[in-house]
Amino acid sequence: MIPRVVFHADDLGISPGVSRGVARAVEAGPVRAVSLCVTGDDAEGGAALARRWIGEVDLGLHLSFTLGRAVSGPIDGLTDGLGRFPPLPEALARLRLGLPPSALLRREVRAQLDRAAALGVPLAHLDGHHHAHTFPGVRDAVLSVAGHLRLRVPDDRWARPTPRTLLIRGLARAFRRRAAAREIPLDALPFTGLDLHDRADFAARLVALLAAPPAPAFELMVHP
């Protein structure tokens, strides 16, 4: 079977260099889905690129709770007083303990979506930096807001385990069981690629993935 693969570049707007890499991948042809991180250092530059691709590339929000500052302002129990997000392990621990109020998490999801809109980027989907859309508490906020706006959320059950994904899954597992009954049924393809990230054997793992695809059609996350 030859699978149909949608190459999906997230991290647009993280930095000028990353944005240039995503642009090269889009302009070369393979990348047809891109997500913009509005808390990144190059959010405006990334948005300017995304506006050039309207109608040609599937655009989405790369939701962040571990990079930059909260768009909506400080979040009690998660950010510092200036609204700066903590690193991944600390963010996961705080979210797992239920420290940030759910209303503030929903407010931040909506604020990041509104920021993308203010930058002129129309959105069809939402995914997460460090898979933030799967975090405890955040997942509930994402399902609530994205469902209202009819945004796709990745179906990432096919991601193959690594120490990093196991950490995220382990802390999020209990919440995901509760949320599973109301997942958004919006034409989301199986989403994979996290297990290929930062690996020296990327090429070999990619070939193995294509030889045994998770489905006849799926999204593959890449980091140009």
Side-chain angles (χ1 to χ4, degrees), residues 169-194:
R169 288 180 185 178
L171 290 171
R173 187 176 297 119
F175 179 82
R176 294 178 79 183
R177 278 198 295 267
R178 288 185 308 159
R182 57 189 196 87
E183 290 285 348
I184 304 169
L186 297 181
D187 67 345
L189 295 174
F191 186 89
T192 189
L194 185 64

Side-chain angles (χ1 to χ4, degrees), residues 155-223:
D155 184 357
D156 54 4
R157 290 170 294 169
W158 281 260
R160 297 173 183 176
T162 65
R164 190 187 214 177
T165 57
L166 288 173
L167 169 66
I168 294 172
R169 288 180 185 178
L171 290 171
R173 187 176 297 119
F175 179 82
R176 294 178 79 183
R177 278 198 295 267
R178 288 185 308 159
R182 57 189 196 87
E183 290 285 348
I184 304 169
L186 297 181
D187 67 345
L189 295 174
F191 186 89
T192 189
L194 185 64
D195 53 315
L196 305 180
H197 181 54
D198 289 340
R199 297 292 296 259
D201 58 348
F202 173 85
R205 284 175 169 266
L206 177 60
V207 170
L209 176 67
L210 296 175
F218 65 97
E219 280 192 276
L220 176 64
M221 179 185 69
V222 295
H223 290 107

Side-chain angles (χ1 to χ4, degrees), residues 59-206:
L59 300 173
L61 174 71
H62 196 46
L63 181 73
S64 177
F65 278 83
T66 58
L67 175 77
R69 297 189 185 193
V71 177
S72 62
I75 300 173
D76 291 342
L78 181 61
T79 71
D80 65 13
L82 297 176
R84 292 177 296 201
F85 289 119
L88 174 62
E90 186 177 345
L92 282 170
R94 293 181 181 186
L95 288 161
R96 186 68 184 89
L97 291 171
L99 297 179
S102 58
L104 295 186
L105 296 179
R106 288 194 300 273
R107 184 189 72 179
E108 178 61 19
V109 173
R110 189 57 192 251
Q112 292 190 30
L113 288 165
D114 288 346
R115 175 61 176 153
L119 290 170
V121 181
L123 303 177
H125 69 269
L126 181 155
D127 56 49
H129 186 58
H130 293 145
H131 265 39
H133 61 285
T134 69
F135 293 176
V138 176
R139 184 70 170 176
D140 195 29
V142 165
L143 293 176
S144 173
V145 175
H148 176 70
L149 298 176
R150 305 298 293 170
L151 296 175
R152 291 195 325 278
V153 178
D155 184 357
D156 54 4
R157 290 170 294 169
W158 281 260
R160 297 173 183 176
T162 65
R164 190 187 214 177
T165 57
L166 288 173
L167 169 66
I168 294 172
R169 288 180 185 178
L171 290 171
R173 187 176 297 119
F175 179 82
R176 294 178 79 183
R177 278 198 295 267
R178 288 185 308 159
R182 57 189 196 87
E183 290 285 348
I184 304 169
L186 297 181
D187 67 345
L189 295 174
F191 186 89
T192 189
L194 185 64
D195 53 315
L196 305 180
H197 181 54
D198 289 340
R199 297 292 296 259
D201 58 348
F202 173 85
R205 284 175 169 266
L206 177 60

